[in-house]
């Protein structure tokens, strides 16, 4: 059993981590680092609550799940590795490529290993696209569009929307969309982007349109806070047809309602010679956590820091492209 300590106890911890840590026999929550002990004990009962990470690192716990604001990730991962602990860190694992390179060097010299929490690699619609591409159901793919829009026209006072390192929607949702594209296609040849602040009083980017260039092929990644209608989540177009999927993967909604195993099923549309409906592959956040448990046994990360480094390079290149209004060569 993996004795686990949660670092931070906000929405991410309680929605995306605690349910699986409690569901699987591989893990046992033995403590939480939080400034809100009443909230922790209301949710988890008589669990030890630490006021500082250093207190928790002095224990025998082997896995630390870091869910704090993004700008704190690098320092916390660094301290965990220095103590020989294993880590699961929320994306983004760090906010500059320099931070990422430093952490990779430290991990190589440490007894601990780091996984980055890219659970959306097991979104059902993403898994469906992966299968369609592997089976070449759409022929030679030419265009993929991935959107994660919201209707949030008013700025809220929270760290993700304030100014500062790691804030903004490109680091938040963009990290997921970029990671998914890299899993499917690897590093692009070029990157172009429009990263924007459109809301009144906005302090960090709230929308983006990033284009990854793969020769003549294109991946379009988009998010905007003014979309009040259900736009397509995914579009894939190839030489023999198209695939269209609307709506977000239902797993997050199920977790919000206390369901670890999501019974909801979705469909998509595929158009080749005729238009037809296809079932979406069931999503697998639970299987993602099962694979994570195995990675700490085999000592081979499921989502290594090197993957996060590539995502951060894309983000930095996208920001520079938006500033300079140029298409930039990408060097992995």
């Amino acid at each position: 059993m993996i004795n686990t300590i949660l670092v931070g106890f906000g929405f991410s911890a309680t929605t995306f981590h605690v349910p699986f840590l409690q569901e699987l026999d591989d893990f046992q929550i033995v403590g939480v680092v939080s400034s809100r002990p009443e909230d922790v004990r209301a949710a988890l009962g008589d669990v030890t609550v630490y006021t500082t990470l250093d207190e928790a690192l002095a224990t025998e716990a082997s896995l630390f799940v870091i869910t704090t604001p993004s700008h704190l990730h690098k320092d916390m991962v660094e301290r965990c590795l220095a103590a020989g602990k294993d880590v699961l860190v929320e994306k983004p694992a760090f906010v500059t490529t320099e931070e990422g390179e430093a952490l990779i060097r430290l991990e190589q010299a440490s007894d601990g290993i780091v996984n980055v929490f890219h659970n959306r690699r097991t979104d059902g619609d993403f898994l469906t696209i992966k299968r369609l591409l592997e089976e070449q159901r759409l022929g030679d793919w030419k265009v993929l569009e991935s959107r994660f829009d919201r209707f949030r026209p008013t700025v809220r006072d929270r760290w993700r929307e304030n100014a500062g390192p790691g804030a903004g929607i490109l680091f938040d949702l963009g990290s997921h969309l970029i990671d998914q594209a890299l899993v499917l296609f690897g590093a692009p040849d070029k990157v172009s982007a429009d990263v924007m602040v459109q809301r009144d009083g906005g302090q960090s980017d709230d929308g983006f349109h990033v284009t990854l260039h793969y020769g003549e092929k294109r991946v379009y990644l988009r998010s905007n806070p003014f979309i009040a209608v259900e736009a397509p989540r995914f579009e894939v177009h190839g030489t023999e047809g198209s695939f269209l999927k609307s709506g977000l993967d239902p797993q997050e909604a199920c977790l919000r309602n206390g369901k670890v195993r999501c019974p909801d099923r979705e469909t998509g549309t595929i158009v080749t010679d005729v238009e037809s409906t296809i079932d979406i592959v069931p999503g697998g956040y639970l299987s993602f956590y099962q694979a994570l448990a195995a990675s700490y046994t085999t000592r081979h990360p499921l989502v290594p820091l090197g993957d996060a480094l590539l995502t951060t390079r894309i983000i930095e290149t996208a920001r520079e492209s938006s500033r300079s209004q140029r298409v930039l060569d990408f060097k992995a």
Side-chain angles (χ1 to χ4, degrees):
M1 183 173 291
I2 303 171
N3 289 333
T4 303
I5 288 180
L6 286 157
V7 185
F9 203 71
F11 172 79
S12 176
T14 57
T15 304
F16 292 109
H17 296 284
V18 168
F20 301 112
L21 291 170
Q22 292 179 323
E23 179 74 14
L24 297 173
D25 292 337
D26 306 87
F27 302 94
Q28 181 177 5
I29 301 173
V30 297
V32 178
V33 180
S34 175
S35 60
R36 306 198 320 267
E38 298 83 5
D39 294 344
V40 174
R41 294 194 175 103
L44 300 180
D46 190 23
V47 68
T48 303
V49 180
Y50 302 96
T51 57
T52 68
L53 177 58
D54 288 337
E55 290 176 336
L57 289 172
T59 70
E60 296 299 316
S62 60
L63 174 62
F64 284 68
V65 179
I66 297 174
T67 68
T68 54
S70 299
H71 69 279
L72 301 175
H73 289 178
K74 187 261 185 181
D75 175 68
M76 288 184 164
V77 173
E78 191 173 63
R79 288 155 66 190
C80 289
L81 288 174
K85 307 294 187 179
D86 294 333
V87 180
L88 173 61
V89 59
E90 275 283 353
K91 56 78 201 163
F94 37 79
V95 297
T96 68
T97 55
E98 290 79 10
E99 287 185 355
E101 290 165 348
L103 283 181
I104 289 171
R105 289 192 297 270
L106 181 58
E107 183 186 29
Q108 291 169 346
S110 170
D111 292 331
I113 65 168
V114 182
N115 273 295
V116 184
F117 189 58
H118 273 297
N119 61 322
R120 291 195 178 276
R121 292 187 180 191
T122 54
D123 277 359
D125 39 25
F126 173 73
L127 294 175
T128 302
I129 289 171
K130 194 168 183 285
R131 179 179 294 180
L132 290 173
L133 292 172
E134 289 169 351
E135 295 175 351
Q136 295 188 311
R137 290 277 301 278
L138 305 176
D140 184 22
W141 80 275
K142 295 297 181 182
V143 174
L144 181 145
E145 181 161 344
S146 174
R147 301 175 58 149
F148 203 130
D149 295 316
R150 290 168 168 169
F151 186 63
R152 292 183 178 175
T154 303
V155 174
R156 295 185 290 177
D157 184 16
R158 57 179 195 152
W159 69 263
R160 283 188 175 87
E161 299 182 45
N162 295 333
I169 203 68
L170 184 57
F171 264 121
D172 185 15
L173 298 182
S175 292
H176 281 308
L177 303 191
I178 292 167
D179 178 74
Q180 288 179 331
L182 294 175
V183 169
L184 292 176
F185 307 120
D189 307 317
K190 299 176 184 293
V191 174
S192 55
D194 184 12
V195 183
M196 62 205 82
V197 182
Q198 291 188 301
R199 295 182 297 180
D200 290 342
Q203 300 178 44
S204 59
D205 53 87
D206 52 27
F208 61 81
H209 189 158
V210 175
T211 302
L212 306 182
H213 302 242
Y214 296 86
E216 83 286 359
K217 302 176 180 182
R218 296 290 184 271
V219 171
Y220 302 114
L221 310 175
R222 300 171 58 182
S223 182
N224 192 277
F226 293 102
I227 308 299
V229 297
E230 186 176 80
R233 171 67 182 90
F234 279 109
E235 296 180 38
V236 188
H237 307 285
T239 56
E240 295 183 14
S242 296
F243 169 77
L244 178 69
K245 162 65 169 52
S246 297
L248 296 176
D249 180 282
Q251 291 180 93
E252 179 175 339
C254 287
L255 288 169
R256 288 172 182 262
N257 292 321
K259 299 176 183 177
V260 173
R261 289 175 168 81
C262 189
D264 297 349
R265 294 292 179 263
E266 298 184 293
T267 59
T269 301
I270 190 166
V271 181
T272 50
D273 295 332
V274 295
E275 180 176 318
S276 59
T277 298
I278 66 169
D279 291 330
I280 297 299
V281 175
Y285 293 172
L286 183 63
S287 64
F288 186 88
Y289 239 106
Q290 289 169 328
L292 280 173
S295 79
Y296 295 118
T297 300
T298 63
R299 314 307 294 165
H300 295 295
L302 177 65
V303 184
L305 287 172
D307 289 6
L309 182 62
L310 189 56
T311 294
T312 303
R313 289 192 194 283
I314 295 281
I315 290 173
E316 290 179 342
T317 306
R319 291 193 187 282
E320 178 57 31
S321 170
S322 183
R323 283 192 293 267
S324 64
Q325 298 186 346
R326 293 185 296 127
V327 178
L328 300 178
D329 291 333
F330 181 73
K331 296 179 181 180

